[in-house]
Amino acid sequence: AQSVTQLGSHVSVSEGALVLLRCNYSSSVPPYLFWYVQYPNQGLQLLLKYTSAATLVKGINGFEAEFKKSETSFHLTKPSAHMSDAAEYFCAVTAAGANNLFFGTGTRLTIIP
Amino acid sequence: DARVTQTPRDKVTEMGQEVTMRCQPILGHNTVFWYRQTMMQGLELLAYFRNRAPLDDSGMPKDRFSAEMPDATLATLKIQPSEPRDSAVYFCASGLNDRGPSLPNYNEQFFGPGTRLTVL
Protein backbone atom coordinates (compact mmCIF):
# COMPACT_ATOMS: atom_id res chain seq x y z
CA ALA A 1 0.00 0.00 0.00
CA GLN A 2 1.06 3.58 -0.58
CA SER A 3 0.49 6.81 1.34
CA VAL A 4 1.78 10.36 1.53
CA THR A 5 2.14 12.81 4.39
CA GLN A 6 2.16 16.53 3.78
CA LEU A 7 3.76 18.46 6.61
CA GLY A 8 2.04 21.75 7.25
CA SER A 9 -1.56 22.28 6.27
CA HIS A 10 -0.88 26.00 5.84
CA VAL A 11 2.27 27.68 4.57
CA SER A 12 2.79 31.43 4.17
CA VAL A 13 5.66 32.99 2.27
CA SER A 14 6.44 36.49 1.15
CA GLU A 15 6.27 37.38 -2.51
CA GLY A 16 9.68 36.71 -4.03
CA ALA A 17 10.70 34.26 -1.31
CA LEU A 18 11.43 30.56 -1.67
CA VAL A 19 8.47 28.21 -1.63
CA LEU A 20 8.99 24.82 0.01
CA LEU A 21 6.10 22.39 0.42
CA ARG A 22 6.91 19.08 2.05
CA CYS A 23 5.76 15.62 1.08
CA ASN A 24 6.93 12.30 2.42
CA TYR A 25 5.75 9.04 0.96
CA SER A 26 5.41 5.46 2.06
CA SER A 27 5.54 2.68 -0.49
CA SER A 28 6.71 -0.92 -0.42
CA VAL A 29 7.49 -0.79 -4.15
CA PRO A 30 9.07 1.94 -6.32
CA PRO A 31 6.61 4.82 -6.34
CA TYR A 32 5.32 7.24 -8.91
CA LEU A 33 4.77 10.66 -7.33
CA PHE A 34 2.68 13.65 -8.28
CA TRP A 35 2.01 17.21 -7.24
CA TYR A 36 -1.35 18.72 -8.09
CA VAL A 37 -2.46 22.32 -7.60
CA GLN A 38 -5.98 23.54 -6.93
CA TYR A 39 -6.83 27.18 -7.46
CA PRO A 40 -9.96 28.58 -5.79
CA ASN A 41 -13.18 27.18 -7.22
CA GLN A 42 -11.37 24.92 -9.64
CA GLY A 43 -10.48 21.26 -9.95
CA LEU A 44 -7.04 19.82 -9.37
CA GLN A 45 -4.51 20.16 -12.14
CA LEU A 46 -1.21 18.37 -12.55
CA LEU A 47 1.84 20.40 -11.62
CA LEU A 48 4.51 17.74 -12.14
CA LYS A 49 5.15 14.02 -11.81
CA TYR A 50 7.99 11.63 -11.05
CA THR A 51 7.91 8.38 -13.00
CA SER A 52 11.34 6.90 -12.19
CA ALA A 53 13.33 8.79 -14.80
CA ALA A 54 15.18 11.93 -13.63
CA THR A 55 14.99 12.51 -9.86
CA LEU A 56 14.67 16.28 -10.32
CA VAL A 57 11.39 16.99 -12.01
CA LYS A 58 10.40 20.34 -13.46
CA GLY A 59 6.78 21.32 -13.72
CA ILE A 60 4.65 24.21 -14.80
CA ASN A 61 4.85 27.75 -13.40
CA GLY A 62 8.47 27.40 -12.30
CA PHE A 63 7.89 24.63 -9.77
CA GLU A 64 10.15 21.64 -9.37
CA ALA A 65 10.42 18.65 -7.06
CA GLU A 66 13.20 16.27 -6.20
CA PHE A 67 12.69 12.58 -5.51
CA LYS A 68 14.92 11.47 -2.64
CA LYS A 69 14.65 7.76 -2.00
CA SER A 70 16.87 7.83 1.08
CA GLU A 71 14.57 10.38 2.69
CA THR A 72 11.33 9.05 1.16
CA SER A 73 10.58 12.63 0.18
CA PHE A 74 9.25 14.52 -2.80
CA HIS A 75 9.27 18.16 -1.70
CA LEU A 76 7.98 20.88 -4.01
CA THR A 77 9.98 24.08 -4.45
CA LYS A 78 9.90 27.33 -6.34
CA PRO A 79 12.74 29.86 -6.05
CA SER A 80 10.58 32.97 -6.04
CA ALA A 81 6.94 33.04 -5.01
CA HIS A 82 4.39 34.96 -7.03
CA MET A 83 0.99 36.14 -5.89
CA SER A 84 -0.60 33.83 -8.45
CA ASP A 85 0.89 30.80 -6.65
CA ALA A 86 -1.65 31.13 -3.85
CA ALA A 87 -3.55 27.84 -4.00
CA GLU A 88 -3.85 24.44 -2.37
CA TYR A 89 -1.24 21.86 -3.26
CA PHE A 90 -1.70 18.10 -3.08
CA CYS A 91 0.96 15.43 -3.15
CA ALA A 92 -0.05 11.96 -4.41
CA VAL A 93 1.55 8.55 -4.79
CA THR A 94 0.90 5.40 -6.76
CA ALA A 95 2.92 2.41 -7.92
CA ALA A 96 2.98 -0.24 -10.60
CA GLY A 97 0.03 -2.56 -10.17
CA ALA A 98 -2.07 -0.03 -8.28
CA ASN A 99 -5.31 1.29 -9.73
CA ASN A 100 -5.46 4.56 -7.90
CA LEU A 101 -3.65 7.65 -6.65
CA PHE A 102 -3.36 8.18 -2.91
CA PHE A 103 -3.58 11.86 -2.05
CA GLY A 104 -2.20 13.78 0.89
CA THR A 105 -4.34 16.13 2.93
CA GLY A 106 -3.13 19.20 1.06
CA THR A 107 -1.15 22.34 1.90
CA ARG A 108 -2.70 25.76 1.50
CA LEU A 109 -0.10 28.24 0.27
CA THR A 110 -0.61 31.92 1.06
CA ILE A 111 1.58 34.59 -0.52
CA ILE A 112 2.20 37.73 1.53
CA PRO A 113 2.59 40.90 -0.57
CA ASP B 1 -7.84 20.36 -25.64
CA ALA B 2 -9.35 17.26 -24.00
CA ARG B 3 -10.99 17.90 -20.64
CA VAL B 4 -13.21 16.20 -18.15
CA THR B 5 -16.59 17.91 -18.04
CA GLN B 6 -19.06 17.89 -15.17
CA THR B 7 -22.65 19.01 -14.96
CA PRO B 8 -24.16 20.83 -13.25
CA ARG B 9 -21.47 23.15 -11.95
CA ASP B 10 -23.66 24.29 -9.10
CA LYS B 11 -26.67 22.63 -7.54
CA VAL B 12 -28.84 23.85 -4.68
CA THR B 13 -31.51 21.50 -3.47
CA GLU B 14 -33.62 20.76 -0.45
CA MET B 15 -33.11 17.91 1.95
CA GLY B 16 -34.76 14.72 0.74
CA GLN B 17 -34.49 15.51 -2.94
CA GLU B 18 -32.64 13.33 -5.44
CA VAL B 19 -29.45 14.74 -6.90
CA THR B 20 -27.71 13.44 -10.01
CA MET B 21 -24.26 14.63 -11.02
CA ARG B 22 -22.81 13.78 -14.41
CA CYS B 23 -19.29 13.44 -15.70
CA GLN B 24 -17.92 13.03 -19.18
CA PRO B 25 -14.41 11.54 -19.00
CA ILE B 26 -11.72 12.32 -21.53
CA LEU B 27 -12.26 10.27 -24.68
CA GLY B 28 -10.15 7.12 -24.58
CA HIS B 29 -9.67 7.10 -20.80
CA ASN B 30 -10.73 3.86 -19.13
CA THR B 31 -10.76 4.83 -15.45
CA VAL B 32 -13.16 7.22 -13.73
CA PHE B 33 -12.99 8.43 -10.15
CA TRP B 34 -15.47 10.29 -7.96
CA TYR B 35 -14.18 12.46 -5.10
CA ARG B 36 -15.84 14.64 -2.51
CA GLN B 37 -14.13 17.68 -1.05
CA THR B 38 -15.14 19.50 2.12
CA MET B 39 -13.33 21.86 4.44
CA MET B 40 -13.55 19.39 7.29
CA GLN B 41 -12.66 16.13 5.54
CA GLY B 42 -10.57 17.35 2.64
CA LEU B 43 -10.48 15.23 -0.52
CA GLU B 44 -12.19 11.86 -0.15
CA LEU B 45 -12.33 9.11 -2.76
CA LEU B 46 -15.90 7.86 -3.09
CA ALA B 47 -15.70 5.32 -5.92
CA TYR B 48 -13.85 4.42 -9.07
CA PHE B 49 -14.37 2.45 -12.23
CA ARG B 50 -12.16 0.76 -14.77
CA ASN B 51 -13.56 -0.13 -18.17
CA ARG B 52 -16.98 0.87 -16.79
CA ALA B 53 -16.87 -1.75 -14.04
CA PRO B 54 -16.87 -0.56 -10.42
CA LEU B 55 -13.58 -1.41 -8.74
CA ASP B 56 -14.06 0.16 -5.37
CA ASP B 57 -16.92 2.07 -3.80
CA SER B 58 -15.94 1.59 -0.18
CA GLY B 59 -15.72 5.34 0.36
CA MET B 60 -19.33 5.88 -0.55
CA PRO B 61 -22.32 5.76 1.84
CA LYS B 62 -24.16 2.85 0.27
CA ASP B 63 -27.59 3.63 1.63
CA ARG B 64 -28.00 6.86 -0.29
CA PHE B 65 -25.22 7.12 -2.86
CA SER B 66 -24.90 5.23 -6.12
CA ALA B 67 -22.40 5.52 -8.95
CA GLU B 68 -22.77 4.12 -12.44
CA MET B 69 -21.26 4.27 -15.90
CA PRO B 70 -24.07 3.74 -18.40
CA ASP B 71 -21.52 3.99 -21.20
CA ALA B 72 -17.89 4.91 -21.72
CA THR B 73 -18.70 8.60 -22.16
CA LEU B 74 -20.86 9.11 -19.08
CA ALA B 75 -20.45 8.54 -15.37
CA THR B 76 -23.15 9.45 -12.87
CA LEU B 77 -23.21 9.94 -9.13
CA LYS B 78 -26.62 9.93 -7.54
CA ILE B 79 -27.70 10.84 -4.02
CA GLN B 80 -31.17 9.82 -2.89
CA PRO B 81 -32.32 11.20 -0.53
CA SER B 82 -29.93 14.09 -0.10
CA GLU B 83 -29.03 15.47 3.33
CA PRO B 84 -27.37 18.74 4.43
CA ARG B 85 -24.19 16.84 5.34
CA ASP B 86 -23.82 15.93 1.66
CA SER B 87 -23.04 19.57 0.87
CA ALA B 88 -19.61 19.55 -0.73
CA VAL B 89 -17.80 19.89 -4.03
CA TYR B 90 -17.87 16.64 -6.00
CA PHE B 91 -15.07 16.03 -8.47
CA CYS B 92 -14.83 13.54 -11.25
CA ALA B 93 -11.45 12.51 -12.64
CA SER B 94 -10.47 10.22 -15.48
CA GLY B 95 -7.29 8.43 -16.46
CA LEU B 96 -5.78 5.74 -18.65
CA ASN B 97 -4.90 2.56 -16.80
CA ASP B 98 -4.01 0.44 -19.78
CA ARG B 99 -1.12 1.85 -21.77
CA GLY B 100 -0.16 -1.55 -23.14
CA PRO B 101 1.75 -4.59 -21.89
CA SER B 102 5.16 -2.94 -22.06
CA LEU B 103 4.29 0.45 -20.62
CA PRO B 104 3.86 1.22 -16.92
CA ASN B 105 0.61 2.70 -15.69
CA TYR B 106 1.25 5.91 -13.80
CA ASN B 107 -2.40 6.29 -12.82
CA GLU B 108 -2.29 9.99 -13.63
CA GLN B 109 -5.70 11.54 -13.14
CA PHE B 110 -7.31 14.47 -14.94
CA PHE B 111 -9.87 16.33 -12.89
CA GLY B 112 -13.08 18.02 -13.90
CA PRO B 113 -14.11 21.45 -12.56
CA GLY B 114 -16.40 19.97 -9.93
CA THR B 115 -20.06 20.22 -8.95
CA ARG B 116 -20.75 22.38 -5.92
CA LEU B 117 -23.70 20.82 -4.10
CA THR B 118 -25.63 22.66 -1.42
CA VAL B 119 -28.37 20.77 0.40
CA LEU B 120 -30.62 23.01 2.48
Side-chain angles (χ1 to χ4, degrees), chain A residues 45-106:
Chain A
Q45 57 182 276
L46 183 67
L47 204 53
L48 51 80
K49 63 186 177 189
Y50 165 75
T51 57
S52 75
T55 57
L56 182 62
V57 181
K58 295 187 184 299
I60 61 172
N61 301 336
F63 283 93
E64 62 182 37
E66 186 171 7
F67 172 72
K68 292 186 177 181
K69 184 178 178 181
S70 60
E71 300 177 8
T72 62
S73 69
F74 190 58
H75 302 331
L76 182 70
T77 60
K78 182 175 181 177
S80 177
H82 192 273
M83 295 300 295
S84 61
D85 296 327
E88 187 148 21
Y89 293 80
F90 292 89
C91 182
V93 64
T94 189
N99 295 309
N100 192 17
L101 287 179
F102 298 90
F103 284 88
T105 51

Side-chain angles (χ1 to χ4, degrees), chain A residues 32 34 36 38 41-46 49 51 88 90 94-101 103-105 108, chain B residues 9 31 33 35 37 39 42-43 45 48 50 55 91 97 104-114 116:
Chain A
Y32 304 132
F34 300 77
Y36 281 82
Q38 183 181 28
N41 300 313
Q42 294 185 28
L44 280 69
Q45 57 182 276
L46 183 67
K49 63 186 177 189
T51 57
E88 187 148 21
F90 292 89
T94 189
N99 295 309
N100 192 17
L101 287 179
F103 284 88
T105 51
R108 184 169 300 277
Chain B
R9 292 296 311 278
T31 55
F33 303 81
Y35 292 89
Q37 187 177 40
M39 289 292 291
L43 194 65
L45 178 64
Y48 63 97
R50 186 170 67 194
L55 281 193
F91 290 103
N97 187 257
N105 290 309
Y106 302 136
N107 297 318
E108 179 177 345
Q109 294 180 20
F110 297 79
F111 280 75
R116 182 176 299 275

Side-chain angles (χ1 to χ4, degrees), chain B:
Chain B
D1 185 18
R3 297 186 184 205
V4 175
T5 58
Q6 291 185 247
T7 57
R9 292 296 311 278
D10 281 280
K11 176 72 175 179
V12 180
T13 191
E14 294 190 346
M15 182 173 62
Q17 296 299 305
E18 178 178 300
V19 174
T20 298
M21 290 169 273
R22 294 176 173 81
C23 167
Q24 183 172 11
I26 292 173
L27 189 64
H29 282 184
N30 69 333
T31 55
V32 172
F33 303 81
W34 283 105
Y35 292 89
R36 176 171 63 184
Q37 187 177 40
T38 61
M39 289 292 291
M40 295 299 296
Q41 299 296 326
L43 194 65
E44 301 174 275
L45 178 64
L46 298 176
Y48 63 97
F49 295 76
R50 186 170 67 194
N51 298 327
R52 295 178 56 201
L55 281 193
D56 188 346
D57 61 0
S58 59
M60 204 165 65
K62 303 290 193 306
D63 56 337
R64 299 181 300 107
F65 284 60
S66 61
E68 296 180 345
M69 281 201 73
D71 61 61
T73 65
L74 177 65
T76 62
L77 180 66
K78 191 173 295 185
I79 308 174
Q80 168 62 17
S82 58
E83 297 181 3
R85 59 180 168 151
D86 300 329
S87 297
V89 181
Y90 291 81
F91 290 103
C92 173
S94 72
L96 182 59
N97 187 257
D98 183 12
R99 299 171 69 227
S102 61
L103 294 175
N105 290 309
Y106 302 136
N107 297 318
E108 179 177 345
Q109 294 180 20
F110 297 79
F111 280 75
T115 294
R116 182 176 299 275
L117 174 64
T118 303
V119 184
L120 304 175

